[in-house]
Amino acid sequence: MTFCCAVVTFPGSNCDRDMAVALEKVSGTAPLRVWHGDADLPEGLDFIALPGGFSYGDYLRCGAIASRSPIMRAVVEAANRGVPVLGVCNGFQVLTESGLLPGALLRNSVIRFVCRDVKLRVENAQSLFTSGYEAGQEILIPVAHHDGNYFADEATLDRLEGEGRVAFRYAEDVNGSSRQIAGVLNGAGNVLGMMPHPERAIEATHGGTDGRALFESAMKALVGA
Amino acid sequence: MKVRVHVSLKPGVLDPQGRAIHHSLEGLGFSGVNEVRAGRLIELDVADSVTDEALDDMCRKLLANMVIENYRIEKVAT
């Protein structure tokens, strides 16, 4: 069975090709490419990816304009129907701006753009996206962002922790994120947003392959591959 | 009708930009600045028929992120 996925491109996305290559490497099938102005998604999708980049030049707030683009209405609808959605970096910002995930991503507390490999701890290894990891496993994944400082009020953070919705946590303080949260799941577990880039850690030549298990987990869960 | 929307970070939300500005002011020798918070000013020119409710809706749906920001709508006499 083929793994039918789509990568959404917004004006200013710049990791859409990386995401498409990663999905193809892992699944053997080239993902469909969807443009921000499209009103509909292709039929029968197993997986939707929102890539990193600087959609709409980060105008207003990172991800704000993209989250109101025509395709996002279809993505929100699909997510609410249970279709898995992965948002990486700017894709995470788009997910919080669209309301699919709680919280917001603020400017890094260190002010600087942070671009390096960071250690993450897998907090929830039972989700659709993380079942290929062990709980507590440390993985090395690159980050590259200026606005990755995850913020939510204390009650929301407690709820996320209590419900096992913190998927990944930074092993050290990278950007000032509340409770060092690097990736969060929605309540139903079919939407994951994360600042680090798993699609940049797929092949040995990337300097590591720790991102691969994320895509493999999703594929296994969805098509039993 | 001219409208100014003042968007500011909610109290308690960390403002690294404000902190950097504060730091820079101190570097220039200005003393006595206790805190700096940076916000955003959005100026709109709208038809007179645009209602207060519609302006409020614009702020909530796009101009401000209610998770981290507050907004204030100011109508400017022309």
Side-chain angles (χ1 to χ4, degrees), chain A residues 60-61 64-65 68 96-97 102-111 149 151-153 176, chain B residues 7 9 12-20 40 42 60-65 67-69:
Chain A
L60 191 61
R61 296 176 303 274
I65 309 282
R68 276 81 174 169
T96 57
E97 280 283 345
L105 292 140
L106 305 172
R107 179 58 42 107
N108 294 345
S109 59
V110 289
I111 309 284
N149 179 351
F151 173 87
D153 59 49
Chain B
V7 182
L9 281 173
V13 175
L14 182 78
D15 181 10
Q17 285 186 92
R19 220 173 46 190
R40 189 184 303 114
I42 300 170
R60 291 178 170 276
K61 285 191 175 152
L62 180 64
L63 303 181
N65 178 340
V67 175
I68 48 171
E69 294 169 331

Side-chain angles (χ1 to χ4, degrees), chain A residues 113-191:
Chain A
F113 192 96
V114 179
C115 184
R116 60 186 167 93
D117 291 348
V118 298
K119 252 191 211 159
L120 304 180
R121 197 166 61 243
V122 180
E123 294 289 335
N124 174 345
Q126 290 172 351
S127 80
L128 155 74
F129 305 92
T130 56
S131 63
Y133 298 106
E134 302 285 333
Q137 185 181 343
E138 287 204 341
I139 58 175
L140 196 66
I141 304 282
V143 295
H145 60 247
H146 209 162
D147 299 83
N149 179 351
Y150 185 71
F151 173 87
D153 59 49
E154 287 297 313
T156 303
L157 293 170
D158 287 342
R159 186 160 48 85
L160 289 175
E161 305 253 21
E163 294 173 357
R165 290 168 56 187
V166 176
F168 300 104
R169 212 186 294 271
Y170 301 107
E172 54 172 314
D173 183 19
V174 169
N175 50 27
S177 288
S178 304
R179 305 188 192 179
Q180 295 184 197
I181 289 172
V184 297
L185 294 155
N186 69 341
N190 67 308
V191 178

Side-chain angles (χ1 to χ4, degrees), chain A residues 36-117:
Chain A
H36 74 112
D38 295 349
D40 300 301
L41 287 161
E43 292 287 316
L45 285 178
D46 295 313
F47 190 89
I48 301 164
L50 306 182
F54 300 86
S55 57
Y56 298 87
D58 281 350
Y59 291 170
L60 191 61
R61 296 176 303 274
C62 301
I65 309 282
S67 70
R68 276 81 174 169
S69 62
I71 196 62
M72 281 307 296
R73 278 194 287 271
V75 171
V76 170
E77 202 177 284
N80 289 334
R81 277 202 318 270
V83 178
V85 179
L86 169 68
V88 168
C89 201
N90 189 223
F92 185 12
Q93 295 162 341
V94 172
L95 287 174
T96 57
E97 280 283 345
S98 70
L100 281 174
L101 291 174
L105 292 140
L106 305 172
R107 179 58 42 107
N108 294 345
S109 59
V110 289
I111 309 284
R112 287 183 304 276
F113 192 96
V114 179
C115 184
R116 60 186 167 93
D117 291 348

